[in-house]
């Protein structure tokens, strides 16, 4: 016996309920999106576009293809086994002549100099004399500078004619392309970036470990004290958290430098001789001490908020079942704190590998981070492509850590004091 | 954390060792901030305590570094810049962030996780990378070395804090309160101003405070994209530490420690107020 199909439920004005509900949901979705839209648009323009632009700059390679356009097209089809023909040399002379007139050979010569040292002076010397050169250009260019007689120079120009390059990334990990296009290590004395990457990761791990060791007992104490007392002690954690980063770095300079408070106290107490003051700053130690201090609250706060949710009765139960204190702690309490350790650990690690100010002020030569090299290439050596490549690698590492963090904890669970 | 009555002698000893360790960590946390305050009254231009200071000889103390600070046009100009940039970027970040948080806390928000991750990203990306990226981009669109450029950059950095605090406040917002207000005869406008707003305001204000302090304390981005006209307090301190180490920096540091105490108190009062309004605490 089949029932006749029931009439669909409708709202008062006769629209089927399903349709009406879907319409309402869609309307509130649009409303929610409209509320978020201005902020998304703002961040897209002011933050994400700059980031993409930077990523792009790390592979962008316009110099050779724009400033040596004639040479590049003359080299098309060149097999690279012997020096190119007269046409290519003539094109080079013409490119350099135009470049010299328009005064835009600087970028080109820096770019080629990254790949082959000496190219900067080769180009500027040739460009200065190019007006007086007579054909055949092949002989006269080689006469001005031997570099034009080298096969490698021409191979380099041909290779860098491509609008994109991976050589900034290679340079960021201390590699370079050989003239034959193979990836090789740069000479030993020029290998700095890989060392700095490892040092940054290693020191950040040490700092993370130290903040955990120092922060764990404090978080435990704060979570287990009666609220009245823990609120008071919490101020001791929050005050440094809220204090300017530069203030905290300055105080460590005042305390740790060789004519500083700590050394003076040690000398006054007779622990060390006046001539044998400790060098605690402008080296690795300075960076580690100051950054541990600065990042400690970022470890304590997540640990505290996790420990706060562990009922004290668990430990009591473990004890009443005969567990010795250490065993009960290790088997019952500690495993429950692992989410907090993960949150604090990843947070401190992410913040630490991106730190710039503190290592720059108290790190000296040996306590420098990779971030200090980004700044160096941005501001001093002006090798922006390399700076962008290093920054992109660092960004990649941070994003990986962040994704792990988000997977484990969820970013909206971060408590800010 | 009292010692349980069943604790053995060993446990008691361990308990005191534990307290001592915690004490040392607290000293490590707060000690440096306390050291800098007396140092800023040093009559000598050194970063350490002089003999006169240690024997409490009044001649060892002076206000010269404070005087130096308050009469230096460079420092005063830096404060002015910090406030202009801080206030403008805080206003912008608070308005954009609060509106977005209202949308994010809607039950029907699509792709909430992804959007949230995007909105938080300025907090996660290392400052040096943001600074480098903004430098390239802002130079291209002629915003480098302008107030507008620095304000926009700081707005981006402050937004995550506003979004996080306001979203947190809204997520614990009890919507039955709105229905209760309606049932008691309040119209929607009255409900919004008398019920919703007072409960949400503490979150908005603390988000705004976070955004302000982020801008007020930010060095790296300003270092890259600001010109000499936009020198802020942190930049002035940064160059002070790098170039001529003058104890004026210690006076500034002390003032900033006082500022952070003030801020902390404000936040604590806001927290208590919101707890009281929600009926979470007795007083």
């Amino acid at each position: 016996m089949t029932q006749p199909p029931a009439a669909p439920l409708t709202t008062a004005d006769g629209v089927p309920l399903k349709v009406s509900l879907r319409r309402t949901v869609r309307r509130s979705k649009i409303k929610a999106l409209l509320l978020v839209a201005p902020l998304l648009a703002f961040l897209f323009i002011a933050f994400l576009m700059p980031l993409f632009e930077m990523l792009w700059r790390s592979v962008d390679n316009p110099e050779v293809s724009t400033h040596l356009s004639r040479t590049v097209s003359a080299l098309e089809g060149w097999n690279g086994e012997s020096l190119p023909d007269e046409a290519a040399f003539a094109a080079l002379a013409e490119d350099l002549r135009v470049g010299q007139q328009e005064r835009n050979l600087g970028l080109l010569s820096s770019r080629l100099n990254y790949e082959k040292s000496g190219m900067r002076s080769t180009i500027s010397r040739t460009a200065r004399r190019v007006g007086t050169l007579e054909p055949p250009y092949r002989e006269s260019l080689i006469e001005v500078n031997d570099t034009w007689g080298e096969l490698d120079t021409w191979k380099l120009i041909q290779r860098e004619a491509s609008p994109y390059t991976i050589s900034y990334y290679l340079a960021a990990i201390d590699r370079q392309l050989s003239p034959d296009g193979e990836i090789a290590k740069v000479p030993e004395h020029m290998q700095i970036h890989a060392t700095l990457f490892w040092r940054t990761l290693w020191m950040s791990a040490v700092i993370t470990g130290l903040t955990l060791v120092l922060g764990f007992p404090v978080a435990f104490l704060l979570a287990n004290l009666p609220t009245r007392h823990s609120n008071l002690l919490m101020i001791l954690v929050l005050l440094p958290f809220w204090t300017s980063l530069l203030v905290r770095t300055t105080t460590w300079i005042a305390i740790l430098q060789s004519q500083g408070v700590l050394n003076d106290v040690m000398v006054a107490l007779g622990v060390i001789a006046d001539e044998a003051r400790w060098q605690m700053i402008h080296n690795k130690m300075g960076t580690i001490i100051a950054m541990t201090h600065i990042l400690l609250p970022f470890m304590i706060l997540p640990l505290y908020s996790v420990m706060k949710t562990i009922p004290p009765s668990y430990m009591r139960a473990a004890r009443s079942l005969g567990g010795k204190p250490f065993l009960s702690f290790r088997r019952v309490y500690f495993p429950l704190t692992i989410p907090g350790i993960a949150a604090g650990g990843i947070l401190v690690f992410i913040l630490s590998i991106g730190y710039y100010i503190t290592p720059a002020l108290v790190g000296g030569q040996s306590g420098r981070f990779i971030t200090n090299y980004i700044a160096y290439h941005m501001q001093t050596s002006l090798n922006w492509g390399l700076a962008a490549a290093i920054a992109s690698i660092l960004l990649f590492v941070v994003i990986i850590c962040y994704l792990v963090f988000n997977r484990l904890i969820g970013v909206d669970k971060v408590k800010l004091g | 954390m009292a010692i349980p009555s069943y604790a053995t002698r060993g446990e008691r000893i361990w308990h005191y060792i534990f307290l001592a360790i915690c004490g040392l960590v607290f000293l490590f946390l707060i000690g440096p901030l306390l050291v800098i305050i007396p140092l800023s009254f040093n009559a000598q231009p050194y970063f350490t305590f002089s003999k006169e200071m240690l024997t409490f000889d009044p001649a060892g103390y002076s206000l010269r570094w404070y005087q130096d600070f308050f009469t230096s046009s460079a420092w005063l100009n830096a404060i002015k810049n910090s406030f202009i940039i801080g206030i403008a970027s805080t206003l912008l970040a608070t308005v954009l962030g609060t509106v977005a948080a209202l949308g994010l806390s809607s039950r029907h928000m699509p792709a909430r996780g992804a959007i949230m991750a995007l909105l938080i990203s300025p907090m996660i990306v290392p400052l040096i990378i943001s600074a480098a990226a903004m430098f390239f981009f802002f130079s291209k669109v002629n915003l480098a070395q302008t107030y507008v450029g620095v304000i926009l950059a700081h707005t981006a950095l402050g937004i995550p804090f506003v979004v996080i605090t306001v979203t947190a406040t809204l997520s614990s917002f009890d919507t039955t309160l709105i229905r209760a207000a309606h049932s008691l005869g309040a119209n929607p406008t009255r409900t919004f101003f008398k019920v919703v707003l007072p409960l949400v305001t503490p979150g908005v204000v603390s988000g705004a405070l976070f955004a302000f302090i982020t801008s007020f304390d930010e060095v790296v981005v300003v270092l890259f994209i600001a010109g000499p006209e936009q020198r802020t307090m942190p930049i002035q301190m940064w160059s002070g530490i790098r170039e001529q180490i003058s104890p004026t920096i210690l006076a500034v540091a002390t003032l900033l420690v006082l500022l952070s105490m003030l801020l902390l108190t404000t936040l604590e009062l806001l927290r208590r107020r919101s707890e009281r309004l929600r009926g979470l605490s007795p007083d």
Side-chain angles (χ1 to χ4, degrees):
Chain A
M1 228 173 96
T2 52
Q3 297 226 332
L9 289 171
T10 58
T11 55
D13 47 0
V15 184
L17 200 55
K18 235 184 196 164
V19 177
S20 172
L21 183 67
R22 211 178 297 141
R23 210 175 278 161
T24 319
V25 169
R26 194 186 315 130
R27 207 175 299 133
S28 39
K29 263 188 190 168
I30 291 172
K31 209 175 112 192
L33 271 177
L34 278 180
L35 287 172
V36 183
L39 183 50
L40 277 180
F42 174 81
L43 271 188
F44 186 78
I45 294 171
F47 189 74
L48 295 176
M49 266 168 64
L51 277 185
F52 287 130
E53 153 119 13
M54 188 196 72
L55 289 175
W56 185 71
R57 196 179 277 268
S58 66
V59 293
D60 189 25
N61 191 32
E63 290 87 357
V64 174
S65 55
T66 50
H67 296 307
L68 289 181
S69 54
R70 294 176 191 83
T71 318
V72 168
S73 51
L75 280 178
E76 258 170 48
W78 176 57
N79 59 15
E81 277 157 20
S82 56
L83 278 183
D85 54 12
E86 173 65 17
F89 278 92
L92 176 70
E94 181 62 18
D95 275 330
L96 291 182
R97 189 167 14 239
V98 173
Q100 177 76 349
Q101 271 163 15
E102 291 172 5
R103 305 198 169 278
N104 56 17
L105 288 174
L107 286 175
L108 172 75
S109 58
S110 316
R111 178 69 190 91
L112 289 176
N113 206 55
Y114 297 147
E115 305 295 327
K116 186 170 159 98
S117 53
M119 283 306 284
R120 196 193 310 270
S121 65
T122 300
I123 289 179
S124 63
R125 199 175 316 152
T126 315
R128 247 179 285 127
R129 305 237 338 242
V130 77
T132 63
L133 292 183
E134 306 259 322
Y137 287 107
R138 186 159 156 163
E139 278 70 32
S140 45
L141 276 171
I142 294 173
E143 201 175 306
V144 174
N145 201 306
D146 293 341
T147 317
W148 300 120
E150 290 167 20
L151 212 52
D152 289 353
T153 313
W154 293 93
K155 280 186 184 164
L156 175 65
I157 292 175
Q158 194 179 37
R159 191 184 78 214
E160 294 306 329
S162 150
Y164 304 104
T165 179
I166 57 159
S167 51
Y168 291 126
Y169 278 98
L170 292 176
I173 52 169
D174 294 336
R175 301 287 191 281
Q176 64 183 9
L177 285 172
S178 70
D180 298 319
E182 277 161 22
I183 296 171
K185 281 196 176 182
V186 300
E188 191 109 7
H189 68 278
M190 286 167 68
Q191 293 178 10
I192 29 175
H193 300 118
T195 324
L196 267 162
F197 269 116
W198 288 122
R199 185 200 286 165
T200 305
L201 293 177
W202 166 240
M203 283 177 65
S204 301
V206 169
I207 290 161
T208 310
L210 279 174
T211 54
L212 178 62
V213 169
L214 295 179
F216 197 92
V218 167
F220 182 81
L221 181 75
L222 288 173
N224 288 292
L225 278 179
T227 321
R228 204 153 33 90
H229 296 145
S230 74
N231 270 351
L232 216 65
L233 285 177
M234 197 51 141
I235 294 175
L236 301 185
V237 179
L238 290 177
L239 189 60
F241 180 74
W242 277 105
T243 302
S244 158
L245 174 69
L246 279 170
V247 169
R248 287 185 279 170
T249 309
T250 315
T251 62
W252 282 112
I253 294 175
I255 292 172
L256 294 180
Q257 66 178 342
S258 54
Q259 300 299 323
V261 176
L262 193 57
N263 265 314
D264 278 359
V265 170
M266 288 297 172
V267 170
L269 291 177
V271 179
I272 50 172
D274 200 8
E275 312 80 52
R277 286 168 176 263
W278 288 333
Q279 183 63 40
M280 291 176 287
I281 208 168
H282 303 307
N283 54 21
K284 270 185 195 166
M285 197 172 163
T287 306
I288 290 179
I289 294 178
M291 283 187 56
T292 304
H293 178 248
I294 288 166
L295 295 172
L296 190 50
F298 290 94
M299 179 63 91
I300 294 177
L301 294 174
L303 272 175
Y304 167 79
S305 57
V306 167
M307 287 178 180
K308 199 76 194 154
T309 62
I310 304 174
S313 54
Y314 286 11
M315 272 295 270
R316 287 206 288 272
R319 294 297 306 277
S320 79
L321 290 168
K324 289 263 183 300
F326 181 70
L327 185 78
S328 323
F329 176 79
R330 194 171 62 88
R331 298 278 296 274
V332 177
Y333 196 87
F334 184 74
L336 292 169
T337 63
I338 285 179
I341 295 178
I346 301 175
L347 193 64
V348 170
F349 188 77
I350 292 180
L351 290 171
S352 152
I353 54 177
Y355 247 64
Y356 165 67
I357 293 296
T358 309
L361 288 176
V362 298
Q365 244 338 314
S366 67
R368 249 180 229 156
F369 276 21
I370 192 71
T371 47
N372 301 111
Y373 254 79
I374 299 177
Y376 168 77
H377 287 306
M378 292 286 297
Q379 296 174 320
T380 312
S381 83
L382 301 182
N383 189 347
W384 290 352
L386 182 53
I390 298 176
S392 306
I393 295 176
L394 186 65
L395 182 62
F396 179 73
V397 175
V398 169
I399 288 176
I400 298 285
C401 293
Y402 174 63
L403 290 178
V404 173
F405 181 82
N406 217 359
R407 200 68 199 273
L408 288 177
I409 297 110
V411 70
D412 42 345
K413 303 280 188 310
V414 183
K415 268 258 206 256
L416 300 164
Chain B
M1 205 173 66
I3 315 176
S5 50
Y6 51 77
T8 60
R9 162 114 52 96
E11 281 173 58
R12 275 165 212 275
I13 294 175
W14 167 242
H15 180 78
Y16 288 112
I17 294 177
F18 172 76
L19 287 185
I21 294 174
C22 289
L24 286 177
V25 178
F26 280 124
L27 185 69
F28 174 68
L29 274 168
I30 209 81
L33 301 185
L34 298 183
V35 165
I36 205 147
I37 296 175
L39 273 185
S40 68
F41 296 101
N42 195 345
Q44 305 298 321
Y46 303 125
F47 265 44
T48 187
F49 292 101
S50 62
K51 272 208 180 63
E52 292 82 13
M53 292 184 88
L54 292 175
T55 52
F56 295 103
D57 179 356
Y61 293 86
S62 111
L63 288 172
R64 61 186 281 205
W65 308 118
Y66 289 89
Q67 197 183 358
D68 204 37
F69 172 72
F70 283 111
T71 53
S72 145
S73 62
W75 279 107
L76 293 180
N77 198 34
I79 298 188
K80 195 188 81 189
N81 278 335
S82 273
F83 274 102
I84 293 175
I85 292 166
I87 290 173
S89 58
T90 301
L91 284 177
L92 210 55
T94 309
V95 171
L96 286 170
T98 306
V99 172
L102 286 172
L104 277 172
S105 58
S106 150
R107 269 193 317 128
H108 299 291
M109 183 71 210
R112 184 188 286 119
I115 290 179
M116 194 71 181
L118 211 64
L119 297 185
I120 303 298
S121 59
M123 195 166 83
I124 304 299
V125 174
L127 278 173
I128 186 89
I129 296 178
S130 313
M134 286 171 173
F135 169 76
F136 290 136
F137 188 75
F138 285 13
S139 319
K140 212 161 136 185
V141 293
N142 290 327
L143 279 176
Q145 313 214 343
T146 64
Y147 280 99
V148 176
V150 182
I151 289 170
L152 291 183
H154 277 186
T155 305
L157 298 181
I159 276 169
F161 297 98
V162 179
V163 171
I164 287 179
T165 48
V166 181
T167 318
T169 314
L170 286 173
S171 73
S172 60
F173 185 80
D174 188 355
T175 44
T176 50
L177 291 176
I178 296 178
R179 265 181 281 157
H182 284 317
S183 79
L184 291 169
N187 60 25
T189 328
R190 199 176 158 82
T191 312
F192 183 78
F193 283 105
K194 289 277 173 187
V195 180
V196 182
L197 204 58
L199 284 171
V200 175
T201 309
V204 176
V205 174
S206 59
L209 278 179
F210 273 107
F212 180 74
I213 206 74
T214 305
S215 163
F216 202 75
D217 193 29
E218 204 284 322
V219 203
V220 192
V221 170
V222 189
L223 211 52
F224 274 79
I225 66 173
E229 290 210 357
Q230 292 89 34
R231 273 180 94 88
T232 58
M233 284 270 279
I235 294 293
Q236 191 70 20
M237 284 188 83
W238 160 267
S239 58
I241 301 170
R242 288 208 118 178
E243 287 142 28
Q244 76 293 343
I245 295 202
S246 144
T248 311
I249 293 164
L250 300 182
V252 180
T254 304
L255 292 174
L256 287 178
V257 170
L258 293 181
L259 180 75
S260 53
M261 285 180 183
L262 198 72
L263 208 83
L264 192 60
T265 318
T266 316
L267 276 175
E268 180 64 19
L269 291 178
L270 278 172
R271 198 180 57 80
R272 289 202 187 155
R273 181 186 147 83
S274 88
E275 277 185 2
R276 201 174 58 238
L277 283 173
R278 280 154 209 266
L280 291 178
S281 78
D283 53 321

